[in-house]
Amino acid sequence: MTVHLHWFLPTGGDGRTLVDRHAFSQGALGNIPGRAIAGVRAPDLDYLVQIAKAAERLGFEAVLTPTGTWCEDAWLTTVALAQHTRRLKFLVAFRPGVISPVLAAQMASTYQRLTRGRLLLNVVTGGDSVEQRRYGDHLDHDRRYARTDEFLSVVRGVWGGEPYDFEGDHYRVDGGFTALPPDPLPQIFFGGSSAAAGPVAARHTDVYLTWGEPPEQVKEKIDWIRALAEKEGRTVRFGIRLHTISRDSARDAWTTANRLLDDLSPETVAAAQAALARSESVGQQRMLALHGGTREGLEISPNLWAGVGLVRGGAGTALVGSHAEVADRIEEYHALGIEHFVLSGYPHLEEAYWFGEGVIPDLAARGLLPPDAPVRGAVPLLAAGGR
């Protein structure tokens, strides 16, 4: 079992700061006193192309594109980026509650043909009722997962190439099909830490994603989902979502992490924590519990730093350390059963290079990458002769 490395596309904006407008859906950020936020980059196509090309060049297999109010549409953005890349896959996040499952199956089929098989799907059930209602979705937390269960049943049924009938509590489909099923079928990634999420993952997903909790907690999740999948007669693979701050020395890495914290005022952290605390997501509540809203004791496991979660929703932990230390932690998670690592960093362009040129060669040397994986290591200097 080798490691699959993926990067992140910041379609909600990027920069040299942890302040993330995803966390401020109620406009809290605009009410914070103090200086303007420096180093923020708009998610225009030219900048996203730079990140996508860097990820492809450095050897990442795919890039995750988020979904939600505060970012560009993932389907449209990634199809545009596919025209600027050759090999890179796109892990497109979408919400089942705001699109027909038959239409989603057709979109995935078209996407695969247009990109020659470069689509992966990240199913986001949604943990924030305020944002769900913004899209016209008024179901509660557990019923959203029940709907996702039906949604994925329809998607997989429609991909079968024959007319497919389905009748459930949330969908009724008569003779749904895709005239040309996708080839290959996109892998389905899915995350969820609640009791309602587990059975859905066990029945439908190819890769179960967890946010970056300490190894012992990740192992508990793996054991939980694996046992549920066995009851369904299925095998599920596992992935983890983390940020990275990797440098030539551990001291440089921790200096960078501390600088990111120095940019945050107490008011900024308080506003973000208040917004994030309203989330119904069990995974989000687990992220918040790792740091308790304080700046003390943020290294919650060796090289695992919870500082990102002080202001960012979703993935709130980062691997911080020297390239070898970060590779050690990846190897540790891999030994638990994690195959897919979905990574990111601030800013995403620069951090892709720090990781790609520092950690990826180390992982390759340990035999954790496929033999044919492109690796960007040190290259010889060319001497200019007679010029």
Side-chain angles (χ1 to χ4, degrees), residues 14-86:
D14 196 12
R16 301 187 306 275
T17 174
L18 287 179
V19 173
D20 184 354
R21 60 179 175 164
H22 292 71
F24 300 96
S25 57
Q26 305 306 307
L29 184 58
N31 299 324
I32 296 172
R35 59 180 173 81
I37 301 170
V40 174
R41 303 172 187 175
D44 58 57
L45 186 60
D46 288 343
Y47 181 60
L48 295 176
V49 166
Q50 287 187 61
I51 296 174
K53 285 187 171 183
E56 183 170 69
R57 179 176 188 270
L58 292 165
F60 291 98
E61 181 177 330
V63 284
L64 169 65
T65 308
T67 185
T69 302
W70 305 105
C71 51
E72 300 291 355
D73 177 75
W75 293 94
L76 296 175
T77 303
T78 55
V79 163
L81 293 173
Q83 311 311 304
H84 298 270
T85 53
R86 295 178 299 169

Side-chain angles (χ1 to χ4, degrees), residues 22 25-26 67-69 94-98 123-135 137 139-145 147-148 190-194 196-197 211 275-286 288 313-314:
H22 292 71
S25 57
Q26 305 306 307
T67 185
T69 302
F94 73 99
R95 301 190 180 195
V98 298
V123 178
V124 181
T125 299
D128 183 350
S129 289
V130 172
E131 183 163 39
Q132 294 298 127
R133 290 194 295 269
R134 191 176 292 134
Y135 285 96
D137 179 14
L139 294 185
D140 61 28
H141 176 277
D142 286 1
R143 286 196 295 167
R144 288 199 294 268
Y145 278 102
R147 179 180 58 197
T148 297
F190 173 93
S193 298
S194 68
W211 286 328
L276 295 171
R278 291 191 290 268
S279 174
E280 296 174 332
S281 165
V282 174
Q284 182 63 71
Q285 298 308 315
R286 289 169 70 106
L288 295 178

